[in-house]
Amino acid sequence: MVSLSIIADLKARKIFNSRGEETVEVEVKTLGGFGCAAAPSGKSRGKYEVVPFPEGGVSEAIRRIEEYVKPKLLGLDADNQELIDKTLHEVDGTENFSFIGGNTAYAISLAVAEASASTHRQPLFVNLSRVKEAFLPIPLGNVLGGGKHSGKGAPDIQEFLVLPFGCKSFFEAYTANVKIHSRLGKVLEEKVSGFTGGKGDEGAWAPPLTNEKALEFVLRVVEEISNEMGVKIGVGLDVAASSLWNPKLNRYEYVGEEKRRDKGEQLEYILDLIRRFKLVYVEDPFHEDDFESFAELTKKAKGCLVCGDDLFVTSKEKLSFGIKVKAANSLIVKPNQVGTVTDTYETVKLAKNSGYTPVISHRSGETPNTHIAHLAVAFGCPIIKTGVVGGERIAKLNELIRIEEASKGRIPLVKLKL
Ligand code: 2PG
Ligand code: MG
């Protein structure tokens, strides 16, 4: 009998992401199902990420899908994700997906995964599940931002994040983030002159503030909402330090604040922020080649998640090296940094086996797709990082609300001790 999960058709089109940039969307039909996925894109991209699109952009990617990828995938079994992803690597033939594009690989890989799930009439997180006991992730919400994601005048640090833990349900945790975002907007409007309610790429407020002032406002609102709701909420940062690093002068340049910090000063600065603002999470506090400073901070910042994003770029090889030198205790998982579902899972598996906390993450340029919500549950990632508001951000979080409801208590919110 012919299997219903055989790939019968594949089609790619050009659509736009949340920043209005072109991206690729792929549809996959099996004999008995259908899947569709579009690629997100980063702005503060790590230099070791796979290449998003070939030269010639999305149009060229679509041409190469038609000419090279489609003939190889038709007739393969969508249930065999590893074979699909291996085939994508073979067709591409490069180390960094520069021939078909990492974003192209992402859209195809996820569309196939969804088509397989649809063939079996199962939700994606069930069909892709790699865990014994599923749980829901805690939402790490971006409430205030600057850096490359915002306009001039906003803080130099890219993201000011909140992490509610000790909540009873995902719904309650997301509610905490929404309340913080909303209260913070009101407080900033009242207290910060020149703030007109502007937001950055991920829906985070982008007020004209220094990093420390921004942290003061966030911490104040977090404490208020934490008391009102009776839940614990921590504050975190994505410093996105590769964006601040000047490799010629070997220093971090905080242009807005007109401050320069060498490697040692940066370490002291971050440690000071962790202590003063009780930070529970710090992402990319150093640039993407400085494993040494990462390790130094991880040793000193007990009780804080030190997370590598540009440092690891979701790569198993990079992570292996990081584990060896004890660079961090957490990593960002962005499937389009490596291109495929299988590559992503391999990295998550290594992270979990090595005691690293995997944080699945959106990109600053997003689509309303909900795939990362499913991957979080399927792969057992205890944290999901997204914006708190905006259609393309709430799509992922509302999907987790639906998964929570449908599970009728069988998929609990993860218990995270910090
Ligand atoms: C990051 C991400 C998402 P980008 O640095 O963590 O917030 O940004 O997608 O621009 O790389
Ligand atoms: Mg980051």
Side-chain angles (χ1 to χ4, degrees):
M1 212 181 80
V2 185
S3 162
L4 289 179
S5 50
I6 293 298
I7 298 177
D9 199 10
L10 186 151
K11 181 180 162 49
R13 68 170 65 84
K14 191 187 281 184
I15 61 164
F16 296 94
N17 71 17
S18 58
R19 265 198 293 262
E21 301 157 338
E22 293 180 353
T23 189
V24 64
E25 180 171 76
V26 172
E27 286 183 5
V28 169
K29 278 189 193 143
T30 59
L31 293 175
F34 171 79
C36 180
S41 40
K43 200 189 255 175
S44 67
R45 299 181 52 250
K47 72 176 176 203
Y48 301 108
E49 292 187 25
V50 294
V51 175
F53 290 111
E55 249 173 68
V58 179
S59 304
E60 183 57 20
I62 293 173
R63 205 188 64 71
R64 292 185 186 182
I65 292 176
E66 278 297 321
E67 188 172 342
Y68 302 102
V69 185
K70 188 172 167 182
K72 294 278 185 207
L73 292 191
L74 294 190
L76 295 190
D77 191 340
D79 288 353
N80 193 342
Q81 188 74 45
E82 279 172 26
L83 176 65
I84 300 296
D85 294 340
K86 192 167 150 257
T87 307
L88 289 173
H89 278 290
E90 278 167 11
V91 174
D92 180 79
T94 71
E95 285 287 288
N96 57 1
F97 271 127
S98 54
F99 183 68
I100 64 168
N103 277 0
T104 316
Y106 170 97
I108 299 168
S109 186
L110 263 304
V112 170
E114 197 174 277
S116 164
S118 150
T119 306
H120 300 289
R121 306 290 180 263
Q122 277 190 329
L124 181 61
F125 76 90
V126 174
N127 205 53
L128 261 190
S129 179
R130 303 279 194 277
V131 291
K132 279 203 201 83
E133 280 176 32
F135 53 78
L136 294 160
I138 296 178
L140 174 64
N142 183 2
V143 293
L144 194 156
K148 280 194 178 167
H149 292 171
S150 305
K152 259 200 172 145
D156 292 312
I157 288 182
Q158 186 179 282
E159 295 166 34
F160 296 74
L161 302 148
V162 295
L163 184 71
F165 49 103
C167 292
K168 286 183 291 300
S169 63
F170 177 82
F171 187 88
E172 185 180 42
Y174 182 26
T175 303
N177 288 2
V178 168
K179 282 182 188 246
I180 293 167
H181 186 277
S182 158
R183 178 83 52 91
L184 183 61
K186 292 196 184 85
V187 171
L188 294 172
E189 243 165 71
E190 212 181 287
K191 307 270 183 212
V192 182
S193 76
F195 177 61
T196 55
K199 294 180 198 152
D201 286 1
E202 300 179 351
W205 302 112
L209 287 176
T210 61
N211 297 318
E212 293 190 27
K213 272 276 162 235
L215 269 170
E216 278 169 25
F217 279 116
V218 172
L219 189 62
R220 186 180 124 188
V221 171
V222 158
E223 281 171 354
E224 274 176 30
I225 301 293
S226 168
N227 287 337
E228 283 168 29
M229 291 182 68
V231 297
K232 283 192 219 150
I233 307 169
V235 174
L237 293 176
D238 179 359
V239 182
S242 299
S243 311
L244 305 174
W245 180 243
N246 181 335
K248 288 198 193 86
L249 299 173
N250 272 318
R251 63 188 194 190
Y252 295 93
E253 299 184 341
Y254 291 73
V255 178
E257 297 188 6
E258 297 181 355
K259 292 246 165 60
R260 317 272 174 262
R261 294 185 173 96
D262 67 20
K263 193 170 140 149
E265 289 164 342
Q266 177 78 352
L267 176 65
E268 286 315 310
Y269 177 58
I270 300 293
L271 276 169
D272 184 54
L273 294 182
I274 293 175
R275 273 186 224 113
R276 281 170 47 220
F277 297 98
K278 298 177 259 181
L279 303 182
V280 296
Y281 176 91
V282 178
E283 180 181 328
D284 281 355
F286 306 100
H287 69 82
E288 55 216 326
D289 291 307
D290 193 357
F291 281 81
E292 215 177 88
S293 298
F294 261 88
E296 194 73 11
L297 180 72
T298 304
K299 201 162 64 190
K300 292 187 169 149
K302 292 268 173 292
C304 179
L305 286 173
V306 177
C307 183
D309 172 11
D310 295 348
L311 185 75
F312 297 132
V313 291
T314 318
S315 141
K316 200 176 155 191
E317 288 70 39
K318 286 257 170 203
L319 179 62
S320 305
F321 179 73
I323 291 166
K324 211 164 73 198
V325 300
K326 297 191 169 56
N329 52 31
S330 173
L331 87 157
I332 281 287
V333 177
K334 291 170 174 164
N336 78 328
Q337 286 182 326
V338 277
T340 74
V341 171
T342 307
D343 288 291
T344 304
Y345 178 63
E346 288 294 313
T347 304
V348 172
K349 191 165 74 180
L350 174 64
K352 295 210 297 186
N353 289 340
S354 314
Y356 272 51
T357 302
V359 177
I360 198 144
S361 167
H362 67 165
R363 302 298 315 237
S364 51
E366 264 295 341
T367 76
N369 281 189
T370 62
H371 299 109
I372 61 162
H374 287 264
L375 293 186
V377 182
F379 294 170
C381 296
I383 301 179
I384 183 168
K385 184 174 103 151
T386 67
V388 178
V389 296
E392 71 284 1
R393 317 287 152 187
I394 64 167
K396 284 100 178 128
L397 300 163
N398 285 343
E399 186 74 349
L400 286 161
I401 290 177
R402 292 182 201 105
I403 294 174
E404 178 165 69
E405 183 196 83
S407 88
K408 297 196 172 73
R410 282 190 303 270
I411 308 185
L413 182 69
V414 68
K415 294 221 175 341
L416 195 68
K417 283 195 201 78
L418 287 175

